[in-house]
């Protein structure tokens, strides 16, 4: 069976087959930086994952999936994540699949396919996989990108500050405050972010706040606590911001995830 505990060692590259499925119960886990020779699709039913891939931070709430093409160096951090699912696609399928990393929405059909494939045996014959795999590939190629990612600048002046970006106490301050923290002018910081992330710092900060808010919501934290933690003026300002970014209030967003 394709069900393991977190203590077991698993390497998808050790197995043959069109798609190798994996199911596991996870609590808190840090995968460390690694890469696969196979494309990977991963998601969980409960909890939130933070994935860092070659200069991009991604947040993966429940019922969103991360598509990670083969060869991409990545690290997955999981806190209170349960019912983790991961699929690994053979190299012969790469011409049919996206070569770009993305976070995608999972519709009910995809959820059913992923659950079925995560549990099938590692040695399931390819001809028995083919119809299910082709249907999933079709769904993947039409899936909507959730854009739950954050490009990270690589300028050396920002690296000490960014080293703790996944720490619970990390905060993206105002531009003026960041200028004091890193010892560079606001103009210089703006130029760095525009060049290395494709967005000005203020837009980057807002995207960071959105991803952080989703992480905290999935953890079950209260609106008032999240508003204070992310330095909003009040709860109403946070709710307005969240609705502008996602189309949902924080409460309705969590209902959609269930």
């Amino acid at each position: 069976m394709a069900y393991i505990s977190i203590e077991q060692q698993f390497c998808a590259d050790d197995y043959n087959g069109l798609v190798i499925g994996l199911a596991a119960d996870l609590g808190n886990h840090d995968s460390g930086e690694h890469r696969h020779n196979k494309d990977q699709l991963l998601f969980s039913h409960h909890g939130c994952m933070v994935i860092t891939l070659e200069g991009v931070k991604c947040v993966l709430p429940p019922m969103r999936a991360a598509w990670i093409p083969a060869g991409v160096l990545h690290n997955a951090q999981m806190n209170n994540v349960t019912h983790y699912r991961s699929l690994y696609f053979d190299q012969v399928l790469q011409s049919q699949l996206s070569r770009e990393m993305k976070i995608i929405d999972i519709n009910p059909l995809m959820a059913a396919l992923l659950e079925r494939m995560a549990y099938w045996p590692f040695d399931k014959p390819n001809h028995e996989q083919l119809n299910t795999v082709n249907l999933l590939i079709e769904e993947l190629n039409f899936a909507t990108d959730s854009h739950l990612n954050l490009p990270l600048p690589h300028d050396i002046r920002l690296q000490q500050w960014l080293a703790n970006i996944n720490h619970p106490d990390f905060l993206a301050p105002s531009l003026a405050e960041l200028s004091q923290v890193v010892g560079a002018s606001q103009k210089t910081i703006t130029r760095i972010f525009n060049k290395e992330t494709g967005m000005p710092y203020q837009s980057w900060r807002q995207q960071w706040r959105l991803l952080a808010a989703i992480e905290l919501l999935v953890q079950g934290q209260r609106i008032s606590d999240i508003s204070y933690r992310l330095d909003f003026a009040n709860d109403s300002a946070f709710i307005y911001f969240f609705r502008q970014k996602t189309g949902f209030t924080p409460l309705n967003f969590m209902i959609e995830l269930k």
Side-chain angles (χ1 to χ4, degrees):
M1 297 293 291
Y3 189 87
I4 69 168
S5 68
I6 192 57
E7 289 82 10
Q8 291 175 271
Q9 296 296 317
F10 174 82
C11 179
D13 295 334
D14 293 339
Y15 297 87
N16 296 316
L18 287 179
V19 174
I20 300 300
L22 178 67
D25 280 336
L26 300 175
N28 300 318
H29 177 61
D30 188 331
S31 71
E33 286 193 331
H34 64 288
R35 51 168 53 92
H36 311 288
N37 293 322
K38 298 179 178 182
D39 296 337
Q40 181 183 15
L41 182 71
L42 62 86
F43 83 114
S44 69
H45 288 280
H46 304 285
C48 190
M49 286 185 255
V50 176
I51 306 171
T52 306
L53 315 95
E54 296 186 343
V56 178
K57 174 182 176 175
C58 305
V59 165
L60 191 63
M63 300 314 294
R64 301 296 191 275
W67 176 254
I68 306 174
V72 173
L73 184 66
H74 61 283
N75 174 48
Q77 295 177 312
M78 311 174 194
N79 294 305
N80 299 317
V81 167
T82 60
H83 300 98
Y84 167 89
R85 307 290 184 255
S86 186
L87 302 181
Y88 301 87
F89 296 73
D90 191 88
Q91 293 175 334
V92 299
L93 300 172
Q94 289 183 5
S95 63
Q96 303 176 56
L97 294 161
S98 174
R99 308 323 308 150
E100 296 183 2
M101 183 275 158
K102 54 187 176 181
I103 305 297
I104 59 176
D105 295 331
I106 297 295
N107 62 37
L109 174 57
M110 291 176 69
L113 292 171
L114 288 166
E115 194 70 6
R116 178 180 181 184
M117 298 167 77
Y119 276 96
W120 66 25
F122 292 151
D123 59 355
K124 186 176 180 68
N126 284 350
H127 71 273
E128 295 182 8
Q129 298 187 29
L130 192 58
N131 288 340
T132 306
V133 170
N134 284 337
L135 181 55
L136 179 60
I137 288 175
E138 181 177 350
E139 290 298 309
L140 286 174
N141 289 335
F142 284 102
T144 302
D145 191 333
S146 293
H147 300 291
L148 295 179
N149 51 58
L150 183 71
L152 303 177
H154 51 78
D155 189 280
I156 193 171
R157 286 164 286 191
L158 300 172
Q159 292 314 295
Q160 184 175 353
W161 171 64
L162 285 173
N164 296 316
I165 192 169
N166 291 329
H167 191 279
D169 294 331
F170 181 87
L171 180 67
S174 68
L175 179 59
E177 292 169 331
L178 182 59
S179 175
Q180 295 181 343
V181 169
V182 302
S185 69
Q186 296 182 39
K187 182 177 180 180
T188 296
I189 292 172
T190 299
R191 176 179 55 79
I192 291 171
F193 274 86
N194 279 327
K195 179 181 179 181
E196 299 185 357
T197 72
M199 63 180 78
Y201 176 72
Q202 297 293 10
S203 297
W204 186 94
R205 180 179 184 241
Q206 295 294 68
Q207 182 69 358
W208 174 84
R209 284 171 128 186
L210 173 62
L211 301 192
I214 291 173
E215 286 186 67
L216 295 171
L217 283 168
V218 172
Q219 292 171 14
Q221 295 200 25
R222 298 181 302 177
I223 297 298
S224 57
D225 293 335
I226 296 173
S227 173
Y228 177 79
R229 166 72 182 83
L230 300 182
D231 201 26
F232 284 92
N234 49 52
D235 294 357
S236 296
F238 166 63
I239 293 170
Y240 177 81
F241 161 83
F242 197 88
R243 184 189 292 119
Q244 289 290 103
K245 291 292 186 179
T246 67
F248 298 97
T249 64
L251 177 60
N252 287 337
F253 182 82
M254 291 304 299
I255 292 173
E256 286 292 314
L257 292 181
K258 295 180 179 179

